[in-house]
Amino acid sequence: MSFFQLLMKKKELVPLVLIMTFAASGALSFAVYSLRKSDVIIDRKGNPEPWETVDPTVPQKLLTINQQWKPVEELQKVRRATK
């Protein structure tokens, strides 16, 4: 018996199949969306340190109050030493 014949025979399964199809498509679309976000790094070899390409003068949040960017000297020393 095929799947559609089973659904035609047992009509009470139709809402369950529709809900499960909707939930599975939502989960799949969220997974694809999460992989395309800029926070997720898939390609480690192409851009291993993506946080260094962020412009500090452009706010990354929806609302930023009194944002002032100053380089931290200790981090700059470590950055120069590792390159």
Side-chain angles (χ1 to χ4, degrees):
M1 197 184 296
S2 74
F3 180 72
F4 294 110
Q5 289 175 348
L6 179 67
L7 281 181
M8 296 306 279
K9 187 175 181 182
K10 298 186 183 247
K11 298 207 185 280
E12 63 270 9
L13 293 178
V14 173
L16 178 66
V17 169
L18 291 176
I19 291 171
M20 292 303 294
T21 303
F22 181 73
S25 63
L28 181 66
S29 64
F30 181 73
V32 170
Y33 168 75
S34 296
L35 287 175
R36 292 181 181 258
K37 282 177 52 176
S38 63
D39 295 342
V40 178
I41 302 171
I42 297 175
D43 183 19
R44 291 185 185 180
K45 294 179 183 177
N47 191 7
E49 297 172 346
W51 54 87
E52 290 188 3
T53 61
V54 176
D55 185 13
T57 60
V58 176
Q60 299 296 321
K61 299 179 186 177
L62 182 61
L63 176 66
T64 306
I65 300 172
N66 296 331
Q67 178 182 6
Q68 295 179 358
W69 184 80
K70 299 176 189 172
V72 179
E73 188 59 37
E74 292 87 13
L75 293 176
Q76 295 297 326
K77 287 179 186 178
V78 170
R79 188 173 171 195
R80 283 186 220 121
T82 57
K83 286 191 175 183

